[in-house]
């Protein structure tokens, strides 16, 4: 890997690490101030949405071969998370106040404040072994919490709202496609 590519990857991953650290601080501060986990989206939802949208760069990184990841898994991870936060949570105010959004955001933030520094330091070949160990060890716990307990439960709880509002119905009205059934 060339020096410019290494510097770019370091900078991108350091910026994501900073953003996710800020999101985590906002989540924890909100809980500390309100004594409730119901305000996770209000505290950090827009920032998390922005960070997740920017993470499309990881798909491009894989596509052009500057990281060893395969494109399809990266695209699926990015697409799933981005769809979750931008198309569902940000569009349904009733869902934004659910405690399970806090669980999802915490699992994501905790995993990302480990993953992005590990990527950044690996790009410049200064990553300590313990950080790589922590990244993969934490993933085993945090991924199921974020994906199964968090994302799937939120989508399940969003179903009545999606159906009632006919969410994205105008987008698919000319097609034999139901967004509600897609989420089911």
């Amino acid at each position: 890997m060339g020096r410019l590519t290494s510097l770019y990857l370091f900078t991108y991953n350091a910026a994501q690490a900073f953003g996710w650290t800020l999101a985590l601080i906002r989540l924890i501060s909100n809980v500390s101030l309100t004594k409730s986990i119901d305000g996770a989206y209000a505290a950090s939802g827009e920032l998390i949405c922005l960070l997740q949208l920017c993470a499309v760069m990881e798909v491009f990184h894989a596509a052009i071969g500057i990281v060893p990841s395969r494109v399809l898994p990266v695209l699926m991870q990015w697409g799933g998370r981005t769809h979750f936060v931008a198309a569902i949570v940000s569009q349904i105010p009733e869902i934004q106040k659910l405690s399970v959004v806090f669980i999802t955001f915490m699992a994501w933030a905790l995993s990302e404040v480990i993953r992005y520094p590990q990527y950044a330091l690996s790009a410049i070949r200064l990553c300590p072994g313990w950080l790589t160990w922590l990244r993969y060890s934490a993933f085993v716990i945090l991924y199921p919490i974020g994906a199964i307990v968090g994302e799937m439960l939120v989508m399940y709880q969003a179903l009545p709202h999606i159906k009632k509002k006919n969410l994205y119905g105008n987008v698919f009205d000319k097609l034999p496609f139901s967004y509600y059934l897609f989420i089911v």
Side-chain angles (χ1 to χ4, degrees):
M1 181 177 345
R3 293 176 78 188
L4 279 178
T5 301
S6 295
L7 180 61
Y8 163 74
L9 288 173
F10 173 80
T11 304
Y12 167 80
N13 288 296
Q16 281 279 12
F18 176 78
W20 280 102
T21 301
L22 182 58
L24 181 62
I25 290 168
R26 286 181 177 182
L27 287 167
I28 293 168
S29 296
N30 184 64
V31 169
S32 177
L33 291 171
T34 65
K35 307 295 186 240
S36 171
I37 61 173
D38 297 340
Y41 187 85
S44 63
E46 289 180 8
L47 174 59
I48 288 174
C49 193
L50 175 65
L51 292 167
Q52 200 50 52
L53 289 169
C54 291
V56 72
M57 294 307 297
E58 294 166 37
V59 178
F60 295 123
H61 297 162
I64 63 174
I66 62 172
V67 295
S69 305
R70 295 187 328 257
V71 176
L72 187 58
V74 175
L75 177 63
M76 289 175 65
Q77 177 73 19
W78 173 80
R81 273 189 170 190
T82 302
H83 172 257
F84 170 85
V85 73
I88 295 177
V89 178
S90 72
Q91 300 301 313
I92 306 172
E94 300 88 346
I95 294 299
Q96 295 171 8
K97 294 175 177 66
L98 296 177
S99 56
V100 73
V101 171
F102 172 81
I103 293 168
T104 305
F105 284 0
M106 278 300 288
W108 286 6
L110 288 169
S111 66
E112 301 305 28
V113 298
I114 299 167
R115 182 172 75 104
Y116 282 114
Q118 193 267 337
Y119 280 173
L121 293 172
S122 291
I124 57 172
R125 299 177 189 243
L126 292 175
C127 185
W130 65 264
L131 185 55
T132 300
W133 176 87
L134 181 60
R135 176 189 167 211
Y136 290 107
S137 298
F139 174 84
V140 171
I141 297 164
L142 294 171
Y143 187 81
I145 292 170
I148 297 168
V149 176
E151 294 171 46
M152 292 178 124
L153 191 53
V154 166
M155 286 194 276
Y156 177 76
Q157 291 176 328
L159 285 171
H161 303 286
I162 292 169
K163 190 171 194 170
K164 179 181 175 188
K165 295 177 185 218
N166 193 23
L167 194 62
Y168 305 115
N170 61 336
V171 175
F172 300 110
D173 62 352
K174 302 284 189 239
L175 300 171
F177 181 83
S178 163
Y179 185 71
Y180 172 81
L181 293 176
F182 170 72
I183 297 301
V184 169

